[in-house]
Amino acid sequence: MFISIKQAEEKKHGEIAIRGWVYRERGSNKLKFITLRDATGIIQCVIEKDIVGEELFKTADKLQIEASMEIHGTIKEDKRAPTGFEISVNDFKVIGWSDTYPISKDQSPEFLLDNRHLWLRSRKMAAVMKVRHTVLSAFREFYNKHGFYEFSPPILQPNQCEGGSTLFEVKYYQTKTFLTQSWQLYGESSIFALEKLYCISPCFRAEKSKTSRHLSEFWMAEMEAAWIGLKELTQSAEECVSFIVKKVVEENEEELKVLGQDVEKLKKIKAPFPRLTYTEVLERLAKKGDKVKWGKDLRTVEEDTIMEEFDKPLIVTHYPKEIMAFYKPKDPDDEKTALCFDMLAPEGYGEIIGGSQRDTDIEELTKALKKMGENPKHYDWYFDLRKYGSVPHSGYGLGIERVVAWLCKLDNIKDAIPFPRTMLRWTP
Ligand code: ATP
Ligand code: MG
């Protein structure tokens, strides 16, 4: 019976059978060292001519990186081996031969992106994908525990929700529709049935900027709940993010090490997170010599400057109403601002969450939509939600890749998703 490399190491000694791919190989005319890789780890295997015989040793000599094979042998602890264990091979079988592997050391990021289908096998990408798995399941676990229902929104949607300029248009029979930018309007509709909902869904935005933080296709984890306002919303967001970080620290220590991330630093990321209003952020920026005119959105540089002061995520509330999406309501206590928040990650990873209370005033919504050149008629179904038993409600969206990039200490968001899509990249 085959076991994983991790299970073999846990067994520590004795006969084992494993299978995987050649990660490294080197050898002499008597000894061949194969580092074998599977989904759980890597291990050094030694093939000796005297043990396996002349014929099989010749086969071993032809093995190239990424060939797949089965190995039968004896495992023992060995301080000199890269992972502290070594397998002495009794017998092996090649399952799939490998040509000369195109990926070697020191290749350019573009080359690795062109060969992403192969580069996914690297220790780095495998580590990132494991962390990503933890982030997704932690978000689900957190909201399941808090009595939320997982919801499946439509991906093809007739309306914009985050601005018409980044919509992807899709030919739809004799007419057209759009790829979703967010589930939000649909999440809002369904709180009237289930009250507390979340979803994890792909989102599509035709971002024209070529930043290290934007993808054209990304995954958003969103929640929407009836009867809550901005205060409860930000609490839910900070507790969820703390939970995600805790889970990653618990479950991905090995991966964080591969990625060069400092686990101790992550252990300190615990709710509550600091809070500032947009206006307070501007005051702090001004003291640092960075003058931003009230009413202008914070740019990446300003987000980075303000985050120099924090080693935990920061919650920024009350952005100017004028520059916010149409559904964010004005604050009755300060009508120039909206009841909304962004969560900014430390170390220059920028905005990881955007959220708000939702406007329930049809007149205000109509005004905001008209101002952005939208036809309010197209939103009649959305206005219905305000006509039949409207309730206060709020929600937020967390960018999965932004969080993964932050936790994995990645230079570029493109490495936070298996197959990135940007303005300039949509293959392989
Ligand atoms: P930004 O100002 O960074 O473009 P946004 O204000 O457009 O973000 P929201 O509409 O609030 O973002 O979306 C919620 C979250 O989704 C963001 O906080 C971010 O984490 C993530 N997100 C938004 N756009 C993208 C994108 N193009 N690629 C990856 N993640 C994104
Ligand atoms: Mg944006």
Side-chain angles (χ1 to χ4, degrees):
M1 200 186 64
F2 292 98
I3 57 176
S4 70
I5 290 175
K6 186 156 176 255
Q7 286 167 331
E9 289 182 346
E10 280 161 4
K11 194 171 168 208
K12 285 196 166 72
H13 52 80
E15 297 279 309
I16 50 96
I18 58 170
R19 53 191 165 189
W21 294 262
V22 175
Y23 180 66
R24 278 194 209 112
E25 52 83 24
R26 69 190 162 85
S28 63
N29 52 8
K30 284 194 153 155
L31 279 180
K32 177 99 181 168
F33 290 94
I34 302 276
T35 307
L36 202 74
R37 166 182 76 70
D38 74 1
T40 68
I42 57 172
I43 193 162
Q44 178 165 293
C45 307
V46 191
I47 304 173
E48 254 181 276
K49 195 196 273 183
D50 288 349
I51 296 179
V52 299
E54 190 96 21
E55 204 54 33
L56 206 51
F57 192 78
K58 263 196 217 145
T59 307
D61 219 26
K62 286 188 278 183
L63 282 169
Q64 297 204 71
I65 285 178
E66 289 305 321
S68 54
M69 62 193 297
E70 295 173 358
I71 284 184
H72 299 264
T74 317
I75 188 167
K76 63 173 183 351
E77 285 189 72
D78 187 331
K79 293 272 171 310
R80 294 162 306 170
T83 59
F85 286 95
E86 191 177 87
I87 291 171
S88 168
V89 179
N90 303 328
D91 192 15
F92 71 86
K93 187 169 154 198
V94 178
I95 304 296
W97 289 99
S98 178
D99 284 341
T100 305
Y101 199 55
I103 299 179
S104 57
K105 268 210 169 111
D106 303 322
Q107 260 148 344
S108 73
E110 277 311 300
F111 180 86
L112 296 178
L113 282 163
D114 288 339
N115 288 282
R116 190 59 158 237
H117 53 296
L118 299 176
W119 181 235
L120 287 180
R121 305 177 187 194
S122 64
R123 293 199 88 198
K124 175 185 173 179
M125 288 309 299
V128 173
M129 289 190 286
K130 286 181 188 174
V131 172
R132 184 182 170 100
H133 166 80
T134 309
V135 170
L136 292 167
S137 56
F139 185 86
R140 284 204 170 90
E141 188 182 338
F142 181 85
Y143 281 108
N144 286 342
K145 270 205 308 221
H146 285 80
F148 282 61
Y149 293 97
E150 181 159 4
F151 181 75
S152 307
I155 302 300
L156 295 171
Q157 299 183 0
N159 302 105
Q160 64 88 31
C161 119
E162 292 298 327
S165 66
T166 63
L167 277 174
F168 276 109
E169 200 176 297
V170 179
K171 188 171 170 291
Y172 192 74
Y173 304 103
Q174 301 306 321
T175 177
K176 64 173 189 185
T177 185
F178 306 104
L179 292 177
T180 178
Q181 294 172 309
S182 159
W183 81 319
Q184 187 195 312
L185 307 189
Y186 297 87
E188 282 189 63
S189 75
S190 307
I191 56 149
F192 296 91
L194 303 173
E195 296 189 34
K196 298 197 279 187
L197 295 163
Y198 72 88
C199 88
I200 299 181
S201 156
C203 290
F204 304 85
R205 297 187 190 180
E207 305 278 4
K208 271 127 209 141
S209 61
K210 284 165 250 162
T211 71
S212 57
R213 293 179 188 172
H214 289 92
L215 294 164
S216 308
E217 176 180 317
F218 63 100
W219 285 70
M220 190 131 74
E222 302 183 73
M223 66 75 96
E224 192 76 32
W227 314 110
I228 69 166
L230 185 60
K231 185 157 171 259
E232 298 92 328
L233 182 68
T234 54
Q235 278 166 357
S236 184
E238 70 188 344
E239 279 164 22
C240 182
V241 169
S242 306
F243 185 75
I244 290 172
V245 177
K246 179 171 156 270
K247 281 283 170 182
V248 168
V249 166
E250 279 170 13
E251 287 170 27
N252 298 109
E253 199 170 342
E254 199 54 43
E255 286 72 37
L256 295 174
K257 217 191 293 165
V258 169
L259 295 163
Q261 176 62 291
D262 176 2
V263 180
E264 293 310 312
K265 191 180 66 193
L266 292 184
K267 281 186 184 160
K268 295 186 195 128
I269 309 282
K270 282 192 185 137
F273 297 159
R275 284 166 172 68
L276 291 176
T277 64
Y278 163 86
T279 308
E280 286 167 339
V281 168
L282 259 47
E283 285 162 11
R284 287 196 187 210
L285 287 173
K287 278 195 196 133
K288 294 177 157 230
D290 189 352
K291 273 211 159 25
V292 180
K293 195 161 172 272
W294 201 98
K296 283 238 176 310
D297 206 356
L298 297 178
R299 293 173 305 164
T300 306
V301 281
E302 284 121 22
E303 287 177 356
D304 291 351
T305 308
I306 192 73
M307 287 315 288
E308 286 166 7
E309 300 177 29
F310 301 94
D311 47 19
K312 273 189 193 183
L314 170 71
I315 292 171
V316 181
T317 63
H318 298 87
Y319 283 79
K321 163 75 182 153
E322 284 283 296
I323 52 168
M324 290 291 107
F326 74 95
Y327 53 77
K328 300 189 185 179
K330 59 187 178 204
D331 180 356
D333 295 331
D334 178 8
E335 300 205 342
K336 290 198 314 303
T337 68
L339 292 170
C340 66
F341 83 101
D342 278 358
M343 189 186 287
L344 309 181
E347 298 177 277
Y349 283 97
E351 182 192 321
I352 49 174
I353 290 184
S356 77
Q357 258 176 241
R358 313 307 192 189
D359 209 334
T360 51
D361 183 326
I362 296 178
E363 242 172 70
E364 286 287 327
L365 287 166
T366 307
K367 216 164 71 187
L369 281 168
K370 276 191 180 151
K371 217 166 129 195
M372 58 193 286
E374 283 290 309
N375 182 354
K377 265 250 136 300
H378 295 160
Y379 294 80
D380 273 349
W381 71 271
Y382 183 67
F383 294 160
D384 274 354
L385 310 175
R386 276 75 183 150
K387 284 186 193 155
Y388 305 105
S390 182
V391 290
H393 61 286
S394 305
Y396 74 76
L398 171 150
I400 293 291
E401 292 75 17
R402 298 257 179 110
V403 170
V404 170
W406 164 44
L407 297 179
C408 293
K409 215 178 160 178
L410 303 176
D411 295 333
N412 196 302
I413 196 166
K414 283 188 277 204
D415 283 343
I417 188 163
F419 290 97
R421 271 82 180 94
T422 65
M423 191 164 88
L424 300 176
R425 162 140 335 253
W426 56 95
T427 60

